[in-house]
Amino acid sequence: QLQLQESGPGLLKPSETLSLTCTVSGGSISSTTYYWGWIRQPPGKGLEWIGTVYYSGTAYYNPSLKSRVTISVDTSKNQFSLKMTSVTAADTAVYYCARRGGPYGSGGNWFDPWGQGTLVTVSS
Amino acid sequence: EIVLTQSPGTLSLSPGERATLSCRASQSVSSKYLAWYQQKPGQAPRLLIYGASSRATGIPDRFSGSGSGTDFTLTISRLEPEDFAVYYCQQYDSSPYTFGQGTKLEIK
């Protein structure tokens, strides 16, 4: 059974860089079938797609975040990562990693399954 | 950017009743590229429906999705106690892939 687990610092100061890792178990991130994504949810609010990456490193991002975000893959560790620069209080959220539901070559940008999420708070 | 508006914001029903949740898109969502998720407090979202009407693996058949274009519906035929949660729709027709603001389904 595929499982995903987020990890990383829970507290950042404004202007710092957010770095999170998602460790995949029960399946290979190097699968040619699937992509992997990050989604966030501010406390008490809705969901926002951040970006999605293929095992080759090819990634695509939400245009509203693209200038600050990089998603990368480490196939040797079966992990993928999120970096977001110059964070502000508006970046305070639960960050989820997930597998893109549709296979390579499809338009299937839904997400299943999801990790449990990790809360990142930005505060001085 | 496609904006998804869910209604109602809160739906109060009793176990055994039928629930109908709406998701309206600001422009047409082609190829029925719409998904539904369920989220319970303190948990990650769980995929229920993709492709507007295809149930995800392990999802009970009391959950069904329908619709096309700009109007989509999630129906829960007979509510079980575990169905009371927040439900989100998501379009993946065009980037950025966006979510609705959610409908809270609460016990009456």
Side-chain angles (χ1 to χ4, degrees), chain A:
Chain A
Q1 180 184 356
L2 189 74
Q3 292 186 314
L4 299 92
Q5 177 70 57
E6 305 87 351
S7 59
L11 181 62
L12 294 173
K13 290 182 168 50
S15 79
E16 291 186 332
T17 296
L18 178 158
S19 294
L20 296 176
T21 296
C22 181
T23 300
V24 178
S25 59
S28 173
I29 201 169
S30 300
S31 165
T32 57
T33 303
Y34 290 106
Y35 293 73
W36 309 90
W38 288 96
I39 305 99
R40 69 179 181 178
Q41 184 173 36
K45 296 187 178 180
L47 299 156
E48 180 179 33
W49 169 69
I50 300 171
T52 301
V53 68
Y54 192 52
Y55 84 98
S56 63
T58 300
Y60 49 103
Y61 303 107
N62 187 321
S64 70
L65 298 169
K66 185 177 181 179
S67 64
R68 298 195 293 129
V69 168
T70 302
I71 299 176
S72 59
V73 175
D74 187 337
T75 56
S76 67
K77 295 181 180 178
N78 223 33
Q79 296 175 335
F80 63 106
S81 298
L82 169 68
K83 285 195 187 314
M84 180 181 295
T85 61
S86 305
V87 297
T88 69
D91 296 311
T92 293
V94 175
Y95 286 75
Y96 295 101
C97 60
R99 186 181 69 180
R100 195 189 92 152
Y104 179 85
S106 78
N109 286 287
W110 70 86
F111 295 97
D112 180 53
W114 297 51
Q116 66 183 32
T118 187
L119 175 63
V120 176
T121 302
V122 180
S123 174
S124 56

Side-chain angles (χ1 to χ4, degrees), chain A residues 41 49 96 107 109-111 115, chain B residues 37 39 44 47 88 90 92 97:
Chain A
Q41 184 173 36
W49 169 69
Y96 295 101
N109 286 287
W110 70 86
F111 295 97
Chain B
Y37 300 86
Q39 186 176 35
L47 177 72
Y88 293 96
Q90 178 217 350
Y92 50 94
Y97 310 117

Side-chain angles (χ1 to χ4, degrees), chain A residues 47, chain B residues 3-7 21-25 33-38 49 72-74 86-92 97-103:
Chain A
L47 299 156
Chain B
V3 176
L4 299 178
T5 302
Q6 293 186 240
S7 61
L21 287 67
S22 174
C23 176
R24 178 162 290 179
Y33 280 178
L34 190 109
W36 289 93
Y37 300 86
Q38 176 194 68
I49 301 286
F72 297 86
T73 300
L74 175 70
V86 179
Y87 291 83
Y88 293 96
C89 57
Q90 178 217 350
Q91 67 80 21
Y92 50 94
Y97 310 117
T98 51
F99 295 82
Q101 83 282 12
T103 289

